[in-house]
Amino acid sequence: MATGLSSERLKRIDTFLQTRYIDTGKLSGALTLVARRGEIAHFSALGNMDEERGKPTRKDTIYRIYSMTKPLTSVALMMLYEEGRFQLNDPVHKFLPEWEDTAVWVSGEHPDFKTRPQERPMTIRDLLSHQSGLTYGFTDSNAVDRTYQKLVREKMSDGSLAEGSMFMAGMPLLFSPGTAWNYSVSTDMCGYLVEVLSGQKFDEFLKERITAPLGMIDTAFSVPDDKLERFAANYSPTDDGGIELQDDPETSNYRTSPKFLAGGHGLVSTASDYYIFLKMLLNGGVSDGCRYLSRKTIELMTTNHLPDGRSISDHAVEEGWSDSIFDGTGFGLGFSVILDPATAQLASSVGQYAWGGMASTAFWVDPEEEVIVVFMTQLMPSTTYPIDRELRALVNAAIED
Amino acid sequence: MLFEPDTGWNYSIGTDVCGRLVEVLSGKSFDVFLQERLFDPLGMSDTGFSVPDDKISRFAANYSPTEDGGFELQDDPEMSTYRQHPTFLSGGAGLVSTASDYYRFGQMLLNNGTLDGNRILSRKTVELMTSNHLSGGRSISESAVPGAVAGSDMHGYGFGLGFGVLQDVGTAQIAGSPGQFYWGGAASTLFWVDPVEKMVLVFMTQLYLGELPAWQELQVLVNAAIDD
């Protein structure tokens, strides 16, 4: 076939997901889209999008994409970069003055932190590449993270981006900007920068400049009532290897527009919408004759931005991120980037860029093979199963030219 | 010397010494050599060490930044020392030129040493000149000696034979291409050649020792205009 993908081998994806994950009750459902050279070669809906209501997965099911929001936010900010609004090495405080003197944590628990001054101010590149010193509040591993769990996440659901920024800038950084990599609320701050630089609300900017012109009609911060029937349920794993309801679509917070427009995790989307977005990136920034980014900016975004060619695992401050999953994988501006498939121990190509969401959704773009994959499911957290790696092996195995 | 040769990088009068080497090796005065071997064949008719009276109407004023963010006159074209041919023919800093002239020079380099049928350099020499010559593949920032005139912030750029050379866009934090070579002038002028994208940029202004981010901004804007 014109895509150079074996349809027989692509069918293995369905068999694999069905027998390994769906028949065993580990996942409610899954939706996989594989495209090559601009053509969809495999688009397959398996299982249920809502177990409780017995609703089968549809090709237009709406999913919580969590951190797969980050690439859209990063693209939004880089559209403003292309207008000359900022440089990557500009200090963040040039635009958000509250970040000028943010201190670095040394010891102690909130509110009795001992801190030291930062070695240099946080830059916009630090935010886009998770080298800012910020953290997320997922783990108990350090005092800053524990404070985030208690306080920042509160602010991040009830406050505006401006309030969130003020609050976070008053908390200590986990490390001096640029000295390490840590997954963090950095991308939320990128969303706030989009607001400040463009003078538009972040959701309006995304809609006007990205989702509406691209035709990503189901991508937004909330699910309107008339789309509720397509909104998936979200699940968590149980101790016995099954799943339990984590967020019921009918009663979900996603039914109302959030106050905190989280550029790090706020969006819902569909496989088709996200594919349109990735296709634009693979096409060098163009979709249907409309230019979103220059090819050069996409090259810059999908280049490793960690110092001395380091991988995420080399540069990560947190144990959870320094494990082997991120060997041979660097980080660009909003995406992880494969530096070396052998070190990464992953069938892949140098320059392949990717990310995923907390509910086990995943995507990658392989510019060398012209492959795009979007995988949708809803199981929190994404570390439950290694589906992303398994899919990479299966999809790469289907390449037959 | 400030340091043992080849143990560091420091922006210097090294290129003035190169100009003297041209004289010694060619047996010609440096300005004559440039005229005969570069400016005439390349058609760089407004490039020289001085501005003759019949071109004074086209000679820009030069400015210095003021503390309040504006600028003040630094060199009036009418009274400028550039109206006289200098005794010291500075190969590091002596020329005046125009955007069109400098574009022709840049285009010659992009064409691997030739323009309008005149070969100035071989492709191999241009390749050699635009390769990084700093020891161990180091960047300018890694090689710059303590207290260097410039370069301590030039991460991701190496230095060839006369040009800064972009090594890695991630480290340099800017849109561009590996192998892109460039330099600028003390009055904030800039040129670069991007062999990957086949682009030449020449930017002219006259702000002496101004610390403008304009070079970065231009590079972003030009790269953002690439539409294929």
Side-chain angles (χ1 to χ4, degrees):
Chain A
M1 56 202 284
T3 59
L5 291 167
S6 156
S7 47
E8 281 306 308
R9 284 174 163 239
L10 286 171
K11 279 181 197 148
R12 291 178 181 175
I13 297 171
D14 287 358
T15 310
F16 177 84
L17 291 171
Q18 186 70 44
T19 56
R20 180 76 65 97
Y21 287 107
I22 295 173
D23 293 346
T24 54
K26 289 176 176 163
L27 288 181
S28 166
L31 180 62
T32 314
L33 186 155
V34 181
R36 191 165 186 225
R37 296 180 186 141
E39 208 178 301
I40 296 174
H42 179 83
F43 193 10
S44 174
L46 301 172
N48 287 330
M49 59 176 257
D50 186 335
E51 202 68 28
E52 285 65 31
R53 295 180 181 82
K55 289 163 71 176
T57 302
R58 309 161 45 141
K59 287 187 177 173
D60 61 354
T61 294
I62 296 171
Y63 293 96
R64 299 155 193 79
I65 60 169
Y66 287 100
S67 290
M68 279 168 56
T69 303
K70 291 182 171 77
L72 276 95
T73 305
S74 303
V75 164
L77 188 53
M78 292 307 279
M79 290 170 94
L80 294 164
Y81 173 75
E82 288 198 336
E83 294 173 10
R85 308 283 189 109
F86 67 91
Q87 293 295 319
L88 291 175
N89 56 3
D90 276 340
V92 174
H93 68 71
K94 184 172 173 184
F95 307 103
L96 309 177
E98 61 268 28
W99 289 92
E100 184 160 6
D101 296 315
T102 300
V104 179
W105 180 81
V106 174
S107 63
E109 294 283 335
H110 180 79
D112 303 312
F113 287 129
K114 282 196 176 57
T115 61
R116 61 183 166 92
Q118 53 195 3
E119 289 158 33
R120 64 155 175 80
M122 179 195 294
T123 64
I124 296 182
R125 197 262 293 264
D126 292 332
L127 286 178
L128 282 160
S129 61
H130 296 293
Q131 298 181 86
S132 62
L134 292 166
T135 185
Y136 233 139
F138 288 153
T139 67
D140 274 327
S141 58
N142 63 72
V144 182
D145 232 53
R146 284 189 286 276
T147 310
Y148 271 55
Q149 280 185 38
K150 278 192 295 201
L151 302 169
V152 179
R153 300 186 84 176
E154 230 168 74
K155 298 284 172 184
M156 282 168 48
S157 45
D158 304 334
S160 64
L161 290 174
E163 287 163 334
S165 177
M166 286 302 286
F167 184 81
M168 282 184 266
M171 291 289 115
L173 300 171
L174 191 56
F175 51 85
S176 195
T179 59
W181 188 92
N182 193 42
Y183 202 44
S184 71
V185 294
S186 287
T187 319
D188 296 309
M189 287 304 95
C190 291
Y192 182 42
L193 275 171
V194 170
E195 286 199 343
V196 169
L197 292 166
S198 71
Q200 269 181 299
K201 294 293 285 181
F202 180 49
D203 53 352
E204 285 165 20
F205 185 94
L206 279 183
K207 189 171 178 184
E208 248 182 65
R209 300 285 296 270
I210 300 177
T211 57
L214 276 172
M216 297 169 69
I217 51 175
D218 293 322
T219 304
F221 284 98
S222 58
V223 181
D225 291 347
D226 62 340
K227 294 181 179 175
L228 185 61
E229 60 167 22
R230 293 195 281 129
F231 187 35
N234 197 8
Y235 297 92
S236 299
T238 55
D239 288 340
D240 62 359
I243 55 170
E244 64 186 9
L245 190 64
Q246 186 267 348
D247 188 34
D248 186 317
E250 297 269 350
T251 54
S252 174
N253 284 335
Y254 281 95
R255 296 194 60 183
T256 51
S257 253
K259 190 163 180 222
F260 187 86
L261 300 167
H265 65 267
L267 294 175
V268 296
S269 188
T270 60
S272 303
D273 274 11
Y274 213 83
Y275 170 60
I276 296 173
F277 174 69
L278 297 177
K279 199 172 161 187
M280 176 274 286
L281 294 175
L282 181 61
N283 285 348
V286 166
S287 179
D288 282 334
C290 181
R291 179 162 295 282
Y292 296 84
L293 284 177
S294 145
R295 175 171 52 78
K296 299 303 285 183
T297 302
I298 295 170
E299 286 170 11
L300 181 64
M301 294 177 75
T302 57
T303 294
N304 188 21
H305 282 258
L306 308 187
D308 307 321
R310 262 176 250 173
S311 67
I312 297 174
S313 44
D314 293 335
H315 200 43
V317 73
E318 288 283 345
E319 274 180 21
W321 292 96
S322 55
D323 64 23
S324 63
I325 286 184
F326 291 105
D327 285 349
T329 307
F331 206 87
L333 307 177
F335 309 91
S336 65
V337 186
I338 296 286
L339 304 175
D340 176 39
T343 314
Q345 303 192 50
L346 198 61
S348 56
S349 308
V350 174
Q352 180 178 314
Y353 51 98
W355 206 239
M358 185 56 121
S360 304
T361 60
F363 77 87
W364 76 85
V365 177
D366 185 333
E368 196 176 307
E369 301 292 345
E370 298 174 76
V371 166
I372 293 174
V373 175
V374 182
F375 174 73
M376 298 293 207
T377 188
Q378 299 275 254
L379 181 77
M380 301 258 276
S382 59
T383 46
T384 311
Y385 300 114
I387 310 173
D388 182 15
R389 290 180 78 80
E390 291 162 346
L391 279 174
R392 295 214 206 189
L394 289 163
V395 171
N396 276 282
I399 293 177
E400 61 170 3
D401 56 9
Chain B
M1 285 186 284
L2 191 59
F3 52 88
E4 287 287 334
D6 201 25
T7 61
W9 189 90
N10 191 33
Y11 199 45
S12 71
I13 56 169
T15 319
D16 295 307
V17 179
C18 290
R20 175 60 186 151
L21 272 172
V22 170
E23 291 192 336
V24 170
L25 292 167
S26 70
K28 287 185 182 174
S29 157
F30 182 47
D31 52 352
V32 171
F33 185 93
L34 284 179
Q35 191 67 45
E36 287 179 7
R37 300 285 293 271
L38 272 183
F39 305 155
D40 286 345
L42 288 174
M44 296 169 69
S45 55
D46 291 323
T47 304
F49 284 98
S50 58
V51 181
D53 290 347
D54 61 339
K55 293 182 180 174
I56 189 78
S57 64
R58 293 194 284 129
F59 188 36
N62 197 8
Y63 298 92
S64 299
T66 55
E67 279 179 14
D68 62 359
F71 57 84
E72 62 189 11
L73 191 63
Q74 185 265 350
D75 187 31
D76 186 319
E78 297 271 350
M79 298 177 304
S80 175
T81 51
Y82 279 95
R83 297 192 65 178
Q84 257 80 54
H85 207 68
T87 321
F88 185 84
L89 300 168
S90 168
L95 294 176
V96 295
S97 190
T98 61
S100 305
D101 275 12
Y102 214 86
Y103 163 63
R104 294 182 64 77
F105 177 69
Q107 187 65 46
M108 176 274 290
L109 294 169
L110 179 61
N111 294 348
N112 290 314
T114 179
L115 189 74
D116 297 340
N118 289 306
R119 178 156 298 280
I120 308 294
L121 289 172
S122 140
R123 169 170 56 80
K124 298 308 284 183
T125 304
V126 176
E127 284 170 8
L128 181 66
M129 293 180 74
T130 57
S131 295
N132 186 18
H133 283 255
L134 305 184
S135 310
R138 280 194 283 273
S139 66
I140 298 175
S141 61
E142 289 162 335
S143 309
V145 296
V149 175
S152 60
D153 58 347
M154 292 169 74
H155 305 282
Y157 289 91
F159 205 89
L161 307 178
F163 312 96
V165 185
L166 180 53
Q167 297 171 292
D168 173 56
V169 293
T171 311
Q173 302 193 49
I174 195 152
S177 304
Q180 182 177 334
F181 54 94
Y182 83 107
W183 207 242
S188 306
T189 59
L190 170 73
F191 90 99
W192 46 255
V193 176
D194 181 337
V196 177
E197 301 295 344
K198 308 262 180 274
M199 287 196 291
V200 177
L201 170 124
V202 181
F203 171 69
M204 296 297 203
T205 187
Q206 297 281 257
L207 184 73
Y208 189 68
L209 301 182
E211 289 189 8
L212 295 178
W215 291 4
Q216 279 194 322
E217 289 160 352
L218 276 170
Q219 186 161 334
V220 171
L221 291 166
V222 172
N223 275 282
I226 292 179
D227 198 22
D228 56 13

